[in-house]
Amino acid sequence: MNVDWQGVYPAVTTQFNEDETVNFETTKSMINSLIEDGVHGIIVLGTVGENCSLRADEKRQVLQAAREAVAGRVPLLTGVAETTTSLAVEFVQDAEKIGIDGFMVLPGMVYRSTEREAIYHYQQVARSTALPIMIYNNPITYGVDVSIEGMRTLALEDNIVSVKEATEDTRRISELLSTFGERFVVFGGVDDIALESLMLGATGWISGLTNVFPRESVAIYKLAQQGRYAEATEIWRWFLPLLRLDTVPTLVQCIKYAEQLAGRGSEKTRSPRLSLTQDEKAYVSRLYDDAITNRIDLSKFNLN
């Protein structure tokens, strides 16, 4: 199965009202703005999208709203983060009916799987849908690492076509490409090593902070693809302090607060996630203000 997945795919936030109900219109508006700013794909209901904080019916409603907002302009993927394999199968089948283009599948939530169990989970989800699947490999957060040998097994599933590699070890990207060639589309999945990942051959970047600065994210990707690494590094060093926010336990709150500062969304999260403390907000504000003060003029890179 061939897919045209490449470029910058923001893992978008789910927007909430003050009473913690889902604000579908703001979520759709935010997605539309990201596409207009040049991102190459959209991923809803990932970690940043607070997947596990939503009821089953709300998840389906978010997918419907996202499909309406995207309107076929770019690929639309959804995270799959369920507590059991059977619930994950139900979700992907419902999402396929709604019209989603593909899935970013996480291991089973709550229970920390062994690699054997994670592989079984991925296999059953893949066999339940005709749509393409990206494996989200994040051993730091989810406690299970699908090794190169594990990926050999998953390579037997025709519709497992991609990997979001978030081990924080860039050597894994080289190992995937050396072992499998073009069998998998490899995405970098950690914001603060994204440029290194692109330099090593990743064809895409799944990002949280792209929600705040999408044009700069796309510029980094384009420059890297053209081998213009010195220019990409100039933007990268400007962006890096903010990108570090993607690697802290409160990453969702940090990204949402930065979105609010940028006028792109609301900081509101669903409890038990709470708003950042005043000290934490001051830190994020300082990073954001520094970024705005020193923002790079992208027109000088002639990327059109």
Side-chain angles (χ1 to χ4, degrees):
M1 179 181 290
N2 294 318
V3 295
D4 185 21
W5 292 355
Q6 57 184 320
V8 178
Y9 282 46
V12 302
T13 60
T14 302
Q15 294 292 298
F16 294 111
N17 299 305
E18 283 304 309
D19 62 358
E20 297 190 5
T21 57
V22 179
N23 188 325
F24 295 102
E25 289 307 311
T26 303
T27 300
K28 290 168 66 174
S29 176
M30 179 192 60
I31 290 171
N32 182 64
S33 294
L34 288 166
I35 295 173
E36 290 183 344
D37 282 328
V39 303
H40 304 93
I42 294 289
I43 300 181
V44 295
L45 299 181
T47 303
V48 176
E50 298 180 71
N51 187 318
C52 292
S53 297
L54 300 182
R55 298 191 310 269
D57 62 315
E58 291 176 323
K59 294 181 186 185
R60 275 75 172 172
Q61 291 166 5
V62 168
L63 295 185
Q64 180 66 40
R67 187 187 66 79
E68 293 170 2
V70 172
R73 290 176 289 174
V74 297
L76 171 62
L77 280 64
T78 178
V80 181
E82 303 294 334
T83 55
T84 67
T85 302
S86 63
L87 287 174
V89 166
E90 289 177 13
F91 178 78
V92 299
Q93 291 175 341
D94 287 347
E96 185 171 357
K97 293 174 184 175
I98 290 170
I100 301 304
D101 297 314
F103 302 103
M104 180 181 74
V105 185
L106 286 68
M109 298 291 99
V110 182
Y111 173 67
R112 181 166 290 191
S113 305
T114 64
E115 183 181 17
R116 180 174 70 93
E117 291 169 327
I119 289 171
Y120 175 84
H121 179 79
Y122 291 136
Q123 287 172 323
Q124 301 313 306
V125 173
R127 293 169 187 175
S128 71
T129 178
L131 294 180
I133 284 174
M134 174 191 299
I135 300 300
Y136 184 5
N137 191 42
N138 188 337
I140 294 172
T141 301
Y142 301 114
V144 55
D145 182 12
V146 179
S147 65
I148 293 296
E149 287 306 309
M151 290 305 301
R152 289 187 195 276
T153 300
L154 293 176
L156 300 175
E157 308 295 329
D158 289 342
N159 62 331
I160 295 181
V161 300
S162 181
V163 184
K164 176 185 176 182
E165 185 48 61
T167 60
E168 296 191 0
D169 182 353
T170 53
R171 290 172 294 188
R172 182 62 64 85
I173 291 172
S174 294
E175 291 168 351
L176 284 165
L177 295 172
S178 295
T179 304
F180 299 106
E182 297 182 356
R183 171 62 182 83
F184 296 113
V185 176
V186 179
F187 278 78
V190 183
D191 269 1
D192 64 355
I193 55 171
L195 180 56
E196 294 91 330
S197 300
L198 293 170
M199 288 176 170
L200 289 169
T203 57
W205 172 19
I206 296 173
S207 171
L209 271 302
T210 291
N211 291 294
V212 184
F213 287 107
R215 293 183 184 274
E216 284 81 358
S217 301
V218 170
I220 290 169
Y221 169 78
K222 288 182 176 180
L223 290 167
Q225 291 302 107
Q226 295 172 21
R228 297 162 63 183
Y229 296 126
E231 294 164 285
T233 300
E234 181 182 352
I235 308 172
W236 180 254
R237 289 174 177 165
W238 163 85
F239 205 0
L240 186 57
L242 275 170
L243 294 173
R244 298 279 192 203
L245 297 175
D246 186 58
T247 64
V248 300
T250 55
L251 78 158
V252 177
Q253 294 95 314
C254 288
I255 291 169
K256 279 193 153 184
Y257 184 59
E259 276 186 298
Q260 180 169 296
L261 293 173
R264 303 187 71 95
S266 166
E267 69 167 313
K268 185 66 179 177
T269 52
R270 181 170 280 182
S271 54
R273 285 189 177 92
L274 299 178
S275 296
L276 299 174
T277 67
Q278 289 305 309
D279 286 345
E280 290 169 331
K281 285 185 177 182
Y283 176 68
V284 175
S285 294
R286 185 166 65 253
L287 294 180
Y288 177 78
D289 290 344
D290 287 346
I292 292 297
T293 299
N294 299 297
R295 196 168 191 174
I296 295 169
D297 180 5
L298 299 180
S299 65
K300 70 179 183 178
F301 297 108
N302 191 26
L303 288 167
N304 295 328

